[in-house]
Amino acid sequence: MATTKKISLIDVYFIMLLSLGITNHVILIPLLLQTAGRDAWMGTLMTTILHIGWVYILFFIMKRTHQQSIIAWFKDSFGPVMGWIFASIITLYFFWMSMVILRETATWIHVTYLPRTPKTVVSLTLILLCVYVANNGIRSIAIISGILLPIVWVLGHFVAVSNLQYKDYSLLTPLLVEGYTPMLKSMIVAGGGFMEMIVLIFLQHHMKRKMNYLSIVILSILLGGLTLGPLMGAIAAFGPVPAMESRYPAYEQWMLVTITKYITHVDFLALYQWISGTLIRISLFLFIMADGISFKKPKQRLWYLLGVGVALSVFSLIPVIDRQIELFVLGKYSLAFLGFLSVLTLFIAIAVAFKPKTNGG
């Protein structure tokens, strides 16, 4: 397969922070609050610290495979059958995760901003945009991330500073009123979100230079901060109980923003943040799903991406699947996904540990 243009370390940071940050905001924060209330922020902090050790496994995998394509490495090391089984499991995982964020975004836009626009229209518009970006390759995803993330970051700080007048950080304590159990449960929830850093392994062969352990740790800490900041902000702004009852606490902090008495209702800016994250996340996952397949012609790749994209949109609108996604988002399956990602990471690590080192990839 022809080598695509590679991306720099800063590109990797931008892509990862947008694509993983969106789920931390949309799915993780409400779930953390519902699981542990006030103790959620301490659980997230503890998970961030533990995650710094866990990401060494990712570094070990990247080092041992010389940052070549992990799917190609599996095919070369264990034969095409094992390679295809591995690729199929990965594709199913990325398909499900794309469907989750597509459903959440389309539902939120429909309920909040476009109640008269059918969800089908919102969903298909989003997915066609993602297919276009994914088809243009990883450099395209990196460039768009580089444009979107600084604005998302500025808006995030803007909402945090604007709401300082409403925040009471004494609400973050007392901790562990109900013992250690809620905090430990919140660590499981946070762990499921942080484990998504496994995405790095599927991007490694597109990087200009090898990632060292420190650069992976910095990314892990940044992702921890992305979760911790809005989480603590929600508790301080609303109090632990109202924050627990809120469906989208990060978004609802936008409702409080007033710029002088003449400018209010700037919550539409949250739409920019949310759609930016969704666009990059789905585009990246579509790109990874297509990345392991050797297409003879570029058109075949486009048709594949279109097929997967339309399937995502259609499946996410089926009531039965919609309900399953809702249960997943509400935490019914979060432990299972933490287990799945943990086992997958350890499986890849054991596979690379027991195979002889490959020549430079």
Side-chain angles (χ1 to χ4, degrees):
M1 195 165 66
T3 52
T4 52
K5 289 177 182 173
K6 294 190 179 264
I7 54 174
S8 66
L9 184 62
I10 194 81
D11 290 333
V12 174
Y13 274 39
F14 280 8
I15 292 170
M16 292 291 283
L17 289 172
L18 266 178
S19 61
L20 272 57
I22 181 68
T23 43
N24 287 16
H25 272 67
V26 174
I27 295 168
L28 225 56
I29 291 174
L31 207 50
L32 284 163
L33 286 163
Q34 286 159 28
T35 306
R38 200 196 318 260
D39 295 340
W41 72 268
M42 180 53 74
T44 305
L45 182 62
M46 295 300 290
T47 308
T48 306
I49 294 163
L50 290 172
H51 195 243
I52 290 167
W54 176 264
V55 294
Y56 185 82
I57 300 170
L58 299 181
F59 170 66
F60 172 76
I61 293 167
M62 293 166 87
K63 191 178 175 187
R64 283 293 293 241
T65 54
H66 293 281
Q67 293 201 190
Q68 70 179 104
S69 163
I70 195 73
I71 293 170
W73 183 89
F74 257 90
K75 284 177 184 171
D76 293 344
S77 303
F78 298 101
V81 175
M82 188 67 184
W84 277 110
I85 292 168
F86 177 72
S88 302
I89 292 166
I90 295 309
T91 301
L92 284 170
Y93 167 72
F94 284 119
F95 186 88
W96 173 259
M97 295 312 285
S98 301
M99 202 157 60
V100 168
I101 197 65
L102 178 65
R103 182 261 180 198
E104 279 295 284
T105 306
T107 303
W108 179 69
I109 291 171
H110 175 71
V111 169
T112 316
Y113 294 104
L114 302 171
R116 293 188 180 181
T117 307
K119 264 172 71 176
T120 319
V121 175
V122 176
S123 184
L124 279 170
T125 305
L126 273 170
I127 212 70
L128 289 173
L129 192 58
C130 294
V131 165
Y132 177 75
V133 174
N135 191 52
N136 281 320
I138 194 69
R139 284 285 299 144
S140 174
I141 297 170
I143 290 163
I144 294 168
S145 299
I147 295 165
L148 296 176
L149 185 69
I151 303 168
V152 168
W153 186 84
V154 167
L155 288 174
H157 282 75
F158 166 70
V159 72
V161 171
S162 301
N163 290 338
L164 279 175
Q165 56 183 321
Y166 305 114
K167 289 178 182 175
D168 177 6
Y169 282 97
S170 68
L171 292 169
L172 295 173
T173 54
L175 291 165
L176 310 176
V177 174
E178 294 175 37
Y180 289 95
T181 311
M183 188 189 84
L184 293 171
K185 283 183 178 174
S186 72
M187 287 176 73
I188 291 169
V189 174
F194 287 14
M195 285 290 177
E196 286 195 356
M197 267 185 67
I198 195 173
V199 171
L200 278 176
I201 295 170
F202 300 95
L203 288 182
Q204 59 179 11
H205 56 296
H206 294 293
M207 297 177 195
K208 281 179 184 170
R209 60 188 181 86
K210 292 178 180 178
M211 273 187 105
N212 57 28
Y213 178 53
L214 179 63
S215 56
I216 299 173
V217 166
I218 290 167
L219 181 57
S220 174
I221 292 167
L222 287 171
L223 278 168
L226 265 179
T227 314
L228 206 54
L231 178 61
M232 292 170 82
I235 297 167
F238 304 117
V241 176
M244 279 172 80
E245 292 166 354
S246 169
R247 182 65 187 89
Y248 300 115
Y251 162 67
E252 275 157 36
Q253 287 179 61
W254 274 102
M255 309 281 232
L256 299 175
V257 177
T258 50
I259 312 160
T260 74
K261 63 180 178 181
Y262 302 107
I263 305 171
T264 57
H265 298 296
V266 292
D267 50 285
F268 65 90
L269 292 170
L271 190 65
Y272 176 89
Q273 288 183 303
W274 195 321
I275 289 179
S276 296
T278 300
L279 171 69
I280 297 304
R281 185 175 175 82
I282 298 175
S283 301
L284 176 66
F285 289 0
L286 283 170
F287 173 79
I288 292 171
M289 282 187 258
D291 199 35
I293 304 169
S294 298
F295 296 101
K296 290 182 174 70
K297 294 175 186 173
K299 254 189 182 172
Q300 289 177 336
R301 177 185 155 83
L302 176 59
W303 281 112
Y304 171 81
L305 287 168
L306 264 174
V308 172
V310 171
L312 277 171
S313 196
V314 170
F315 279 129
S316 67
L317 294 166
I318 296 169
V320 177
I321 296 174
D322 183 85
R323 179 64 184 146
Q324 293 307 311
I325 294 172
E326 191 177 10
L327 288 171
F328 173 77
V329 171
L330 295 173
K332 296 285 187 287
Y333 310 145
S334 58
L335 182 59
F337 262 71
L338 171 63
F340 170 75
L341 289 179
S342 303
V343 168
L344 180 65
T345 309
L346 289 170
F347 169 72
I348 298 170
I350 291 163
V352 300
F354 287 100
K355 284 302 288 183
K357 286 190 181 182
T358 55
N359 298 322

